[in-house]
Amino acid sequence: MAYDAPLSDITFALTKVADLSRLDGNAAFEAYDPDLIAPILEEAGKLARDVLAPLNQIGDKVGAVLGPDGVTAAPGFAEAYAAFRDGGWMGLSAPEEWGGQGLPKVLGLAVMEMFHGANMAFTLCPMLSSGAIEALLAHGTDDQKARYLPKLVSAEWTGTMNLTEPQAGSDVGALRTKAVPNADGSYAITGQKIYITWGDHDVAENIIHLVLARLPDAPEGTRGVSLFIVPKFMVGDDGALGARNRVECIGLEEKVGIHASPTCVMEYSEATGFLIGAENKGLACMFTMMNSARLNVGLEGVGVGEAAWQAAFAYAQERKQGKAAGVTGAAPILHHADVRRTLTTMRAKVMAARAICYACGIATDLAEVGETEEIRTAAKLREDLLTPIAKAWSTDMGVDVASLGVQVHGGMGFMNETLAAQLYRDARIAPIYEGTNGIQAIDLVGRKLSMADGAAMTEMMDEIDATARRARETNDPGLVQIAERLKAANAALGEATLWMRETMISDRETALAGATAYLALAGDVIGGHFLTIGAVEARSSDGQTRGKMTALAGFFAETSLAAAPGAVAGIKFGGQAMLDESEALFGIS
Ligand SMILES: Cc1cc2nc3c(=O)[nH]c(=O)nc-3n(C[C@H](O)[C@H](O)[C@H](O)COP(=O)(O)OP(=O)(O)OC[C@H]3O[C@@H](n4cnc5c(N)ncnc54)[C@H](O)[C@@H]3O)c2cc1C
């Protein structure tokens, strides 16, 4: 079996670790009832296992194809998209007003994790649509919402995000695509966008492109960027599809992975576009989309990591090599302690990243609909803090875990025919797009640590200390040991945070040289915090869950958390050693 949704792990992470119950009874989620969680996850798991996963490897082999009439999706993808659409999955967390089911966003995220795990290339399509829905909800006019949202929410149409140009990657403000006002209030959009995910395809009847472009005389840089809606087919006042717009895919990229996700070069030749949000405020509008997408990309790391662990575990049970104590004849490699250690590393990291992403998702929900101003403000701080960590830590984890999955397969893992090899290739893009992980680290230390005078990280670290106390108070020797590791790791995070905040002011270059290492430490400690909560909560679960959660938290504490104090020196002084010798190392001063 290629992928089997880990329903009990996902449910446990949602309900026991990330505390989904904080949304119970919230007036904004009239349709939500905790009893719905199980059937929703179960149904999503079936689609993931039975429809999406079986197409993952054929999608990798054949990929999407560009012909004279545009892009044709990989074999079976149109039918799978129809099943996704007919199942109503796109609307799970969208407002009922626009045809959605009005459920918490975090539930939609848990479902997306399964779809990513089953078939990341496929799931990128609805992931981009959900970003477009968010942007329209937050910034669209009433007319724009009425015209585009129902069809996006029903998944009859899909959405894309068009930022990147050859000279404008991380530096989005360098983009040159032009938007010239037409007499009728629309705009003529001209320019080329590259790397546009699902920029063209044949799985839905229309595509709503959200495009960043510059108005004539717009200020330089990010302050002169505006956002436009550019439909592939024009949409009449009655909702009927009209003429083909002047936008087309003129090339498909040959990629390392996610072959079934068409990555398009898009040519806009005076295409008709409609301003969304205010002039020159496009980046702020796009950020609505990007924040949602960043968390979703974090879940790609979790989904692919989970799939890699499942494939490695299955292989380790079958592959026989060497002898092991208590096994007659050649032993399945699972019996070798080193292989079990690799598998445990994979599983613990996936669990930690899952909890970080779900906690970020719940904060996103509460920031929007929390009952009081105080709850909303605290949740917004938590969401802002966790978003770069959820994106970067989880996607780095996805690559590491997929690589370990290849290792468990030995030489077979290096053969393209194995799923393990595909997962490794697919996982590699996630640290790059939606803001590279380097940019996420800069966002964390540059903006997030100083928000509300540092309250976001201070409150997080207070909670981590409280978790360590809670674990210690159980008096269970295993949990007490985990508590000690967590407390020491949190102290290390505190020291690194203080240094980072001060150094961002006194010597920004040195601080930025430690940003990625700081984010890695923050992810380790926050991940360890959630695993510890899991181990404490599991004390009232069945023996199997209790054993699993205690072992994973204990393993993570003795490996990742135990290394945390040593990581502080690398953050504080590692960068300095390099910067001091820039001339010798790089020939630059
Ligand atoms: C498969 C795929 C799908 C994509 N889908 C989309 C899409 O749908 N829509 C879209 O608009 N774009 C999309 N992209 C583009 C993607 O978001 C960019 O590739 C990404 O933002 C990085 O930009 P770049 O490739 O120009 O790299 P660069 O910006 O050139 O970065 C190169 C390296 O330099 C580092 N770097 C850059 N600037 C800084 C800085 N200021 N400080 C420190 N380090 C820095 C980066 O971290 C990175 O390691 C996609 C890309 C790929 C490969």
Side-chain angles (χ1 to χ4, degrees):
M1 189 168 299
Y3 173 84
D4 197 9
L7 296 180
S8 61
D9 285 355
I10 288 178
T11 309
F12 187 85
L14 275 174
T15 57
K16 303 284 185 191
V17 180
D19 202 1
L20 184 63
S21 67
R22 294 189 68 197
L23 300 176
D24 289 359
N26 188 300
F29 300 124
E30 260 175 54
Y32 174 61
D33 173 345
D35 288 345
L36 286 173
I37 301 172
I40 288 174
L41 295 181
E42 220 164 279
E43 280 307 306
K46 279 187 205 155
L47 185 74
R49 186 193 57 210
D50 301 339
V51 179
L52 304 184
L55 295 176
N56 204 18
Q57 284 183 282
I58 180 89
D60 182 53
K61 279 206 185 74
V62 180
V65 180
L66 176 61
D69 297 326
V71 174
T72 305
F77 275 52
E79 293 76 9
Y81 187 81
F84 167 87
R85 180 194 63 212
D86 297 346
W89 294 107
M90 196 72 240
L92 197 70
S93 308
E96 288 170 278
E97 183 187 0
W98 301 112
Q101 296 170 51
L103 294 171
K105 284 196 178 114
V106 67
L107 271 186
L109 289 166
V111 165
M112 288 297 266
E113 179 205 312
M114 298 185 207
F115 296 167
H116 284 309
N119 193 328
M120 175 172 155
F122 172 92
T123 309
L124 277 159
C125 181
M127 188 190 102
L128 268 300
S129 298
S130 86
I133 292 170
E134 299 271 339
L136 277 160
L137 281 170
H139 306 287
T141 62
D142 289 347
D143 175 70
Q144 288 169 343
K145 287 180 187 168
R147 200 175 289 254
Y148 302 110
L149 276 176
K151 297 279 190 179
L152 282 169
V153 169
S154 66
E156 285 163 271
W157 301 347
T158 69
T160 70
M161 182 160 101
N162 292 238
L163 291 79
T164 308
E165 298 178 13
Q167 78 295 345
S170 300
D171 183 8
V172 179
L175 66 86
R176 294 190 194 127
T177 295
K178 283 186 306 188
V180 177
N182 293 323
D184 63 359
S186 67
Y187 294 79
I189 313 287
T190 304
Q192 198 176 92
K193 296 286 180 182
I194 60 168
Y195 300 156
I196 303 309
T197 298
W198 283 90
D200 193 39
H201 57 78
D202 59 349
V203 307
E205 59 180 11
N206 203 7
I207 305 174
I208 309 303
H209 303 289
L210 292 193
V211 184
L212 283 183
R214 248 173 223 299
L215 294 165
D217 306 324
E220 296 260 294
T222 50
R223 285 180 305 120
V225 165
S226 304
L227 184 62
F228 298 87
I229 300 168
V230 183
K232 176 176 175 181
F233 288 98
M234 302 306 291
V235 180
D237 290 340
D238 57 356
L241 293 189
R244 180 79 163 76
N245 207 347
R246 285 176 297 279
V247 47
E248 62 173 330
C249 169
I250 58 167
L252 276 190
E253 303 293 352
E254 293 284 332
K255 306 191 294 294
V256 167
I258 53 165
H259 291 148
S261 166
T263 303
C264 303
V265 181
M266 302 297 295
E267 185 77 25
Y268 292 82
S269 318
E270 298 193 341
T272 303
F274 307 94
L275 183 70
I276 171 167
E279 288 186 357
N280 299 329
K281 297 282 183 229
L283 210 62
C285 301
M286 199 53 126
F287 255 104
T288 308
M289 232 176 142
M290 272 160 48
N291 269 334
S292 130
R294 283 176 178 179
L295 177 52
N296 237 307
V297 170
L299 283 159
E300 286 177 0
V302 179
V304 173
E306 170 70 35
W309 132 256
Q310 289 187 14
F313 182 42
Y315 188 78
Q317 292 171 81
E318 281 165 22
R319 170 71 176 164
K320 291 184 176 151
Q321 282 294 286
K323 301 239 178 295
V327 182
T328 319
I333 58 170
L334 182 63
H335 288 264
H336 301 309
D338 186 58
V339 172
R340 288 208 297 279
R341 183 187 175 95
T342 306
L343 291 169
T344 309
T345 305
M346 297 170 79
R347 204 163 188 200
K349 289 190 173 186
V350 169
M351 288 278 207
R354 176 179 290 130
I356 293 174
C357 290
Y358 290 178
C360 186
I362 290 173
T364 307
D365 277 317
L366 284 172
E368 218 175 288
V369 303
E371 280 93 345
T372 65
E373 182 69 38
E374 204 185 340
I375 293 174
R376 288 194 294 276
T377 307
K380 182 70 187 140
L381 274 183
R382 181 57 54 89
E383 177 196 354
D384 285 348
L385 178 76
L386 288 186
T387 298
I389 299 170
K391 195 276 174 177
W393 197 83
S394 307
T395 55
D396 281 343
M397 179 285 297
V399 175
D400 291 349
V401 164
S403 175
L404 292 175
V406 169
Q407 195 67 20
V408 169
H409 282 72
M412 202 59 207
F414 203 63
M415 301 300 123
N416 265 334
E417 73 200 71
T418 55
L419 179 62
Q422 182 191 343
L423 294 171
Y424 182 46
R425 289 183 288 101
D426 286 354
R428 192 60 191 86
I429 181 58
I432 297 172
Y433 55 26
E434 281 317 326
T436 63
N437 284 1
I439 298 294
Q440 303 301 323
I442 293 170
D443 177 45
L444 177 65
V445 303
R447 254 174 28 85
K448 305 302 173 63
L449 289 190
S450 55
M451 278 181 322
D453 201 22
M457 191 47 113
T458 308
E459 279 166 22
M460 186 76 241
M461 290 189 298
D462 287 349
E463 269 181 43
I464 296 171
D465 271 336
T467 297
R469 275 197 301 280
R470 213 180 138 206
R472 195 177 327 111
E473 282 159 13
T474 60
N475 288 325
D476 174 323
L479 289 177
V480 171
Q481 170 78 1
I482 292 171
E484 292 311 315
R485 291 290 189 207
L486 183 60
K487 189 165 178 280
N490 201 27
L493 179 60
E495 184 187 341
T497 303
L498 188 65
W499 177 87
M500 188 54 86
R501 287 200 60 201
E502 286 172 1
T503 313
M504 275 304 283
I505 297 164
S506 63
D507 181 359
R508 194 177 149 83
E509 190 73 355
T510 299
L512 290 180
T516 289
Y518 175 83
L519 187 147
L521 172 66
D524 282 351
V525 180
I526 297 171
H529 152 76
F530 285 123
L531 286 177
T532 308
I533 295 178
V536 174
E537 288 289 331
R539 280 160 54 84
S540 52
S541 302
D542 59 274
Q544 160 77 15
T545 307
R546 192 164 59 238
K548 179 172 75 182
M549 293 312 301
T550 311
L552 293 179
F555 180 83
F556 194 84
E558 297 304 334
T559 52
S560 300
L561 291 183
V568 179
I571 295 165
K572 284 164 72 168
F573 309 117
Q576 196 59 58
M578 166 198 83
L579 291 175
D580 286 348
E581 294 299 342
S582 282
E583 178 70 48
L585 284 170
F586 310 112
I588 59 172
S589 52

